[in-house]
Amino acid sequence: MIAKICKSELSGTAKICPSKSFEQRAWAISALPEINIKVTGAGNSDDAKASKIIAEKLKDINRPDNVFDCGESALCARMYPPIIALHTDNFILDGHGTLQKRNIRRDLEFYEHNFGWKIYNQEFPFIISNAKINSGKFQIDGSHTSQIVSGLMLALSALNDDSQISVLNPTSTGYIILTAGIANEAGAKISAMRNEFFMDIKIYGNAPFQKKTLAIEGDWSNAAFLIAAGLANGNVEIAGLNPDSMQPDRMIHTLLFIFGANYEWKKGKLIVHKSNIHGFEFDAQNYPDLIPPLCAMALNADSECKIKGANRLIGKESNRLEAIVTELGKLGANITYADNCLTIQPCKNIRSTTVDSHNDHRIAMMLAVLGLSSESLTINDCECVNKSYPDFFETLKLLGARVEIGE
């Protein structure tokens, strides 16, 4: 499908979608053995639905098979294996689409080395046997992803004895803190201490998991795109955000002040006004999902912007770094990459052209935001937004954007 977007002024209120990061973790917690937790406020993103299906299958004692389909969700593929192992020692882990391009086999090797799992195949589907999980002390290289740590934390919290995880070279530590926070809210007892090079996690066994309901928060990662749209194209009110959320991408709220944005909180809504954004420099090493909306903001800034940590973009749904440089270049942007840093010059005249989403939801949303400042921008494969924000284009329309969706 294609999306055609034309220059628009925005105004109005939009309720942000549920956080898929929060929701996927909530479903995983609900899938731990011998607990009964209800998840409320669930969304309809593809990744969240994949997590829900796996969780419900694990709770079904009459499940017809041991095949667990992660869809296109890398979080599901990395987080669920140790939780599945609490239920069965033989299973098949499957995945599709963009997930097949990601090196999940490398992440699963941790379980081979530490628990003696037998894993067959180098790509999906993975056939796994002798899948056991035991309490103990473990060391993980966290330079690639934090998601395997999240899954292990949750699985270990369901065991009787205490465990400890030492994470070397941690990245995206905010997501580990988010996992621990949601688990603790449900009754687990997990503590984490961190510095730049090391993170020490203590998991206390025999967690009571007494809480009966986990309510899903609004999504700060996707709200960042609506914020970027409002800053450049009008006044946007965003409902459903928790200003005290543990979601790492709540950092965008702090950046609004740094950027000199005109915004306010009123009656529980974040209100973003059209603003003159100052040139900025930001290290996004631990906030890779904010880089696409930050790039959109940079093109509308008043001077040069630098975004560090850009190498974190390479192993996403697409090579997101390459996609950003390529597609922003088509729009007339002066953007360069060197030494793990994107340097972006303001671009006040967004070209009318056709661009490619690279089948990546965050690239599609970034381009849509920039399309609001063009005479006419066409985005190919726009349906990829279903991965995290299925109602994104409808939300833009609700705010006054001129958007047409077609085949």
Side-chain angles (χ1 to χ4, degrees):
M1 297 178 68
I2 63 170
K4 183 177 180 180
I5 303 173
C6 300
K7 185 172 290 186
S8 308
E9 285 292 320
L10 305 183
S11 65
T13 301
K15 182 173 174 57
I16 194 61
C17 62
S19 165
K20 76 179 183 73
S21 294
F22 194 112
E23 183 176 344
Q24 286 181 278
R25 287 164 170 82
W27 285 120
I29 292 168
S30 77
L32 295 173
E34 299 179 10
I35 65 172
N36 183 21
I37 291 177
K38 182 180 180 181
V39 177
T40 63
N44 61 346
S45 70
D46 288 348
D47 280 6
K49 286 190 286 189
S51 188
K52 178 183 179 181
I53 290 170
I54 294 174
E56 291 180 339
K57 189 168 187 176
L58 286 172
K59 302 300 279 188
D60 182 4
I61 60 174
N62 297 312
R63 59 179 178 269
D65 57 56
N66 276 350
V67 179
F68 297 91
D69 190 343
C70 300
E72 293 192 74
S73 172
L75 176 57
C76 283
R78 293 169 176 146
M79 176 176 63
Y80 266 108
I83 297 171
I84 296 171
L86 296 174
H87 295 266
T88 176
D89 58 4
N90 293 277
F91 62 93
I92 296 173
L93 192 73
D94 207 355
H96 306 283
T98 57
L99 183 58
Q100 294 179 323
K101 301 177 182 179
R102 304 176 78 167
N103 193 352
I104 301 301
R105 183 65 176 81
R106 169 182 55 186
D107 303 313
L108 295 176
E109 289 175 358
F110 171 85
Y111 299 102
E112 287 182 309
H113 299 156
N114 287 272
F115 298 104
W117 291 18
K118 304 297 182 184
I119 302 175
Y120 306 93
N121 296 343
Q122 294 300 309
E123 56 188 26
F124 290 103
F126 298 109
I127 301 171
I128 300 173
S129 64
N130 196 42
K132 305 289 185 181
I133 293 291
N134 304 307
S135 303
K137 293 184 178 181
F138 308 97
Q139 188 174 95
I140 298 179
D141 181 1
S143 60
H144 167 59
T145 178
S146 67
Q147 293 173 343
I148 188 173
V149 180
S150 288
L152 185 61
M153 284 165 50
L154 295 180
L156 293 174
S157 71
L159 302 179
N160 290 328
D161 297 323
D162 297 346
S163 294
Q164 183 175 333
I165 305 173
S166 298
V167 186
L168 306 179
N169 307 309
T171 56
S172 297
T173 54
Y175 286 97
I176 296 174
I177 298 298
L178 177 64
T179 303
I182 300 171
N184 288 342
E185 182 183 340
K189 188 178 180 183
I190 302 173
S191 64
M193 297 179 62
R194 58 179 169 174
N195 59 37
E196 184 178 357
F197 306 106
F198 185 83
M199 190 169 193
D200 188 58
I201 304 167
K202 180 73 173 180
I203 302 102
Y204 297 88
N206 200 27
F209 286 103
Q210 295 172 341
K211 189 176 180 69
K212 298 301 181 183
T213 301
L214 284 173
I216 309 304
E217 295 181 348
D219 193 324
W220 276 100
S221 298
N222 285 331
F225 292 101
L226 300 185
I227 290 170
L231 292 175
N233 300 94
N235 300 324
V236 173
E237 299 183 0
I238 307 173
L241 290 171
N242 176 7
D244 300 316
S245 173
M246 291 182 292
Q247 294 175 53
D249 291 335
R250 185 178 64 88
M251 173 59 71
I252 193 65
H253 181 250
T254 301
L255 295 179
L256 285 175
F257 176 77
I258 296 172
F259 295 170
N262 184 4
Y263 71 98
E264 60 184 316
W265 284 93
K266 190 174 182 179
K267 296 181 179 179
K269 299 174 185 176
L270 175 62
I271 305 174
V272 181
H273 303 283
K274 193 171 183 176
S275 304
N276 182 32
I277 297 299
H278 303 322
F280 60 85
E281 184 172 317
F282 177 64
D283 188 347
Q285 179 73 20
N286 287 315
Y287 312 94
D289 289 344
L290 287 183
I291 296 179
L294 287 174
C295 287
M297 294 180 195
L299 262 64
N300 288 300
D302 61 10
S303 58
E304 180 182 271
C305 299
K306 292 181 178 290
I307 304 172
K308 299 178 180 179
N311 62 350
R312 293 294 313 284
L313 297 172
I314 294 172
K316 297 294 185 179
E317 285 81 354
S318 64
N319 181 334
R320 202 170 277 171
L321 175 60
E322 181 180 279
I324 286 173
V325 173
T326 299
E327 301 309 318
L328 294 191
K330 292 178 184 177
L331 300 182
N334 181 350
I335 177 171
T336 57
Y337 171 72
D339 299 326
N340 195 24
C341 179
L342 284 168
T343 302
I344 305 171
Q345 306 298 332
C347 182
K348 299 303 182 183
N349 296 305
I350 304 297
R351 288 177 185 162
S352 296
T353 187
T354 298
V355 288
D356 188 357
S357 72
H358 296 251
N359 201 24
D360 188 318
H361 56 130
R362 299 197 193 278
I363 298 299
M365 289 188 280
M366 175 193 71
L367 294 170
V369 169
L370 291 168
L372 298 170
S373 299
S374 73
E375 292 301 323
S376 178
L377 187 68
T378 299
I379 305 171
N380 289 326
D381 298 323
C382 66
E383 67 274 16
C384 60
V385 299
N386 293 334
K387 182 175 176 66
S388 67
Y389 199 170
D391 299 325
F392 175 70
F393 289 107
E394 289 303 316
T395 299
L396 288 184
K397 288 182 183 180
L398 178 67
L399 293 171
R402 297 162 62 198
V403 179
E404 296 178 8
I405 305 296
E407 297 294 334

